[in-house]
């Protein structure tokens, strides 16, 4: 502090508490010691030989624990008073020292500013010395990376004030020489040129030779694994193609059997019931004779072409059960019997009625004796 600064005035305050002096605290401890010794005479633990002894021992122990808590409580109460007084005194002293604390903070701020400026100038001088000493290395390893890797070792910091400029510069040159030695180690490694280039790139980025070697080896092994798996895959595919070609050649060598000729389609069965003795020509002639007596609808003409003989009853899928019964009953009454068969055609109600009318007309003109030859 300069002589021009005014003196700091402070008012003295006396700390007045019940246990402000060491003798009072000693007296408290002595009183507790005496009281504890007196109470201890009332307690004599002994072996328990009965249930009554067990219960009495539990009561005696409870009383002893109560005495301990009482004496400890007296001590804690006294210490609480002391702690409160100390806490208050600490706060008052901190407030009293505040002017000096502010002065200390001011000094520290100025000292820190100067040290930061000094370290910055030291780093600038070392950076220039680095460029002069190893200009080819600077593009690969900037000065900040070099200093972060080698210039921050505890007790050997390049920006420590305990080191002179010459000592700091010598430490920087040793770091550059170490990099050169690591580079020679990389050149002598068993890697090919491509792996060496990758190894150098990694090393110059981290300045960690062991880590760069480990990562390069791992990358090399990974590439070899990939290449090996790819080769195995190609071999499997080639083997699969070879097996397929062999199978195709073996299949081609087997004489081919001629394809079976398609079975001839069965000739359509004649619509004429072969059980009757009336020929188709006779039946068509009879139909023509009947048809000349009244108009014939187009549907009737179709049915006449389908029906083969007088013993065949034609029933269409669209006819109801009642219509089929009526048709069968009409023909049966005229002596015409047979099993209904379907033509596969769908007819409307009008067409079904035409079929029924045609059956009635056919039945009326049927002459059973003409349909058979006399024996």
């Amino acid at each position: 502090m300069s002589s021009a600064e005014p003196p700091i005035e402070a008012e003295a305050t006396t700390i007045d508490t019940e246990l402000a002096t060491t003798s009072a605290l000693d007296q408290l401890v002595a009183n507790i010691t005496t009281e504890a010794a007196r109470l201890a005479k009332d307690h004599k633990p002994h072996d328990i030989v009965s249930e009554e002894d067990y219960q009495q021992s539990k009561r005696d122990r409870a009383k002893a624990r109560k005495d301990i808590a009482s004496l400890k409580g007296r001590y804690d109460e006294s210490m609480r008073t002391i702690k409160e007084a100390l806490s208050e005194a600490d706060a008052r002293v901190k407030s009293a020292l505040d002017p000096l604390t502010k002065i200390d903070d001011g000094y520290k701020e100025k000292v820190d500013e100067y040290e930061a400026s000094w370290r910055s100038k030291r780093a600038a001088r070392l950076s220039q010395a680095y460029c002069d000493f190893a200009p080819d290395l600077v593009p690969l390893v900037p000065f900040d990376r070099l200093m972060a890797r080698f210039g921050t070792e505890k007790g050997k910091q390049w920006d420590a004030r305990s080191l002179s400029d010459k000592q700091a510069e010598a430490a920087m040159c040793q770091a550059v020489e170490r990099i050169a030695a690591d580079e020679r180690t990389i050149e002598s490694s068993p890697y090919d040129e491509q792996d060496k280039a990758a190894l150098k790139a990694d090393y110059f980025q981290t300045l960690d030779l062991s880590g760069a070697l480990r990562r390069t080896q791992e990358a090399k092994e990974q590439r070899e694994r990939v290449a090996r798996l790819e080769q195995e895959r190609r071999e499997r595919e080639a083997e699969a193609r070879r097996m397929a070609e062999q199978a195709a050649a073996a299949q081609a060598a087997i004489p081919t059997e001629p394809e079976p000729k398609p079975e001839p389609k069965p000739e359509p069965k004649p619509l004429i019931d072969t059980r009757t003795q009336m020929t188709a020509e006779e039946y068509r002639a009879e139909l023509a004779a009947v048809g000349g007596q009244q108009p014939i609808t187009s549907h009737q003409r179709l049915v006449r072409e389908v029906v083969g003989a007088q013993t065949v009853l034609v029933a269409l899928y669209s006819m109801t059960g009642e219509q089929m019964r009526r048709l069968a009953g009409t023909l049966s009454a005229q002596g015409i019997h047979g099993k209904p068969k379907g033509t596969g055609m769908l007819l409307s109600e009008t067409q079904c009625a035409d079929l029924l009318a045609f059956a009635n007309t056919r039945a009326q003109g049927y002459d059973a004796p003409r349909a058979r030859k006399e024996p």
Side-chain angles (χ1 to χ4, degrees):
M1 181 183 299
S2 64
S3 60
E5 295 179 354
I8 299 175
E9 297 181 358
E11 180 181 356
T13 302
T14 302
I15 301 176
D16 186 12
T17 65
E18 179 183 357
L19 300 175
T21 63
T22 304
S23 59
L25 182 59
D26 290 342
Q27 184 62 43
L28 173 64
V29 174
N31 292 340
I32 293 176
T33 302
T34 303
E35 184 68 12
R38 185 185 67 80
L39 293 173
K41 295 179 179 180
D42 297 336
H43 300 282
K44 294 181 180 180
H46 58 277
D47 294 337
I48 299 175
V49 297
S50 64
E51 180 66 21
E52 183 179 355
D53 283 348
Y54 168 73
Q55 297 296 336
Q56 185 61 42
S57 293
K58 291 184 63 176
R59 288 190 292 270
D60 292 342
R61 186 192 177 199
K63 183 177 182 304
R65 292 170 63 86
K66 183 177 180 181
D67 294 339
I68 293 172
S70 177
L71 295 177
K72 185 65 168 57
R74 287 168 54 186
Y75 173 78
D76 290 343
E77 179 64 22
S78 298
M79 291 305 297
R80 184 181 63 81
T81 303
I82 293 175
K83 290 178 181 178
E84 290 177 354
L86 289 175
S87 178
E88 180 182 357
D90 289 343
R92 292 165 63 186
V93 169
K94 184 177 183 299
S95 177
L97 295 177
D98 188 61
L100 287 174
T101 302
K102 291 180 179 180
I103 292 174
D104 176 65
D105 292 342
Y107 282 131
K108 183 179 184 304
E109 181 181 357
K110 299 303 180 182
V111 169
D112 290 344
E113 290 178 358
Y114 178 80
E115 289 181 349
S117 176
W118 186 90
R119 285 193 296 270
S120 178
K121 293 177 181 179
R122 167 66 67 83
R125 289 193 296 271
L126 287 176
S127 179
Q128 184 59 47
Y130 173 52
C131 293
D132 297 339
F133 183 70
D136 296 337
L137 186 60
V138 174
L140 299 174
V141 182
F143 174 75
D144 291 342
R145 187 183 304 164
L146 179 73
M147 185 172 180
R149 175 64 179 87
F150 299 106
T152 58
E153 185 179 353
K154 187 175 181 180
K156 298 180 181 180
Q157 294 93 333
W158 294 353
D159 59 357
R161 291 179 59 81
S162 58
L163 292 181
S164 64
D165 290 343
K166 290 184 178 181
Q167 290 174 328
E169 186 174 340
M172 181 271 297
C173 292
Q174 290 177 358
V176 173
E177 292 173 355
R178 178 174 174 180
I179 293 175
D182 290 344
E183 188 174 5
R184 289 191 295 271
T185 300
I186 293 174
E187 288 294 341
S188 63
S189 64
Y191 296 111
D192 58 23
E193 294 302 321
Q194 183 178 0
D195 285 338
K196 286 182 180 179
L199 176 56
K200 284 185 178 181
D202 189 347
Y203 172 72
F204 288 138
Q205 186 67 30
T206 61
L207 298 179
D208 178 12
L209 180 60
S210 61
L213 287 170
R214 184 185 68 255
R215 289 186 290 271
T216 300
Q217 181 63 27
E218 290 174 351
K220 181 175 181 295
E221 293 175 355
Q222 178 67 7
R223 289 195 301 272
E224 292 174 350
R225 284 193 294 270
V226 172
R228 184 171 60 255
L229 292 175
E230 183 65 19
Q231 178 63 26
E232 292 175 356
R233 182 186 64 80
R234 288 194 295 267
E235 291 176 356
R236 288 195 301 271
E237 292 177 352
E239 180 65 16
R241 288 193 298 269
R242 187 181 66 81
M243 296 295 292
E245 292 172 357
Q246 291 181 353
Q251 183 67 27
I254 299 175
T256 57
E257 297 180 358
E259 295 183 1
K261 295 182 179 180
E263 297 180 359
K265 295 182 179 180
E267 294 293 335
K269 295 181 179 180
L271 297 177
I272 302 298
D273 189 344
T274 56
R275 292 176 296 174
T276 181
Q277 297 182 7
M278 179 181 289
T279 65
E281 289 76 13
E282 292 175 340
Y283 187 65
R284 290 192 183 94
E286 185 177 356
L287 289 178
V290 175
Q293 299 176 5
Q294 60 181 8
I296 300 176
T297 65
S298 59
H299 174 62
Q300 290 172 339
R301 184 179 298 107
L302 175 62
V303 172
R304 288 179 180 182
E305 294 177 358
V306 173
V307 173
Q310 76 278 11
T311 57
V312 176
L313 175 61
V314 178
L316 305 180
Y317 289 130
S318 61
M319 294 181 67
T320 64
E322 179 60 28
Q323 291 171 334
M324 292 181 69
R325 285 192 294 274
R326 287 169 55 194
L327 178 60
T330 300
L331 298 179
S332 176
Q334 302 297 327
I336 301 176
H337 303 281
K339 184 178 180 181
K341 295 184 179 179
T343 64
M345 297 179 292
L346 294 177
L347 303 179
S348 64
E349 290 293 330
T350 301
Q351 292 171 332
C352 290
D354 291 343
L355 176 61
L356 185 59
F358 171 74
N360 288 329
T361 302
R362 177 67 184 85
Q364 293 173 2
Y366 175 70
D367 186 0
R370 290 184 55 199
R372 299 178 178 85
K373 292 184 180 181
E374 295 299 331

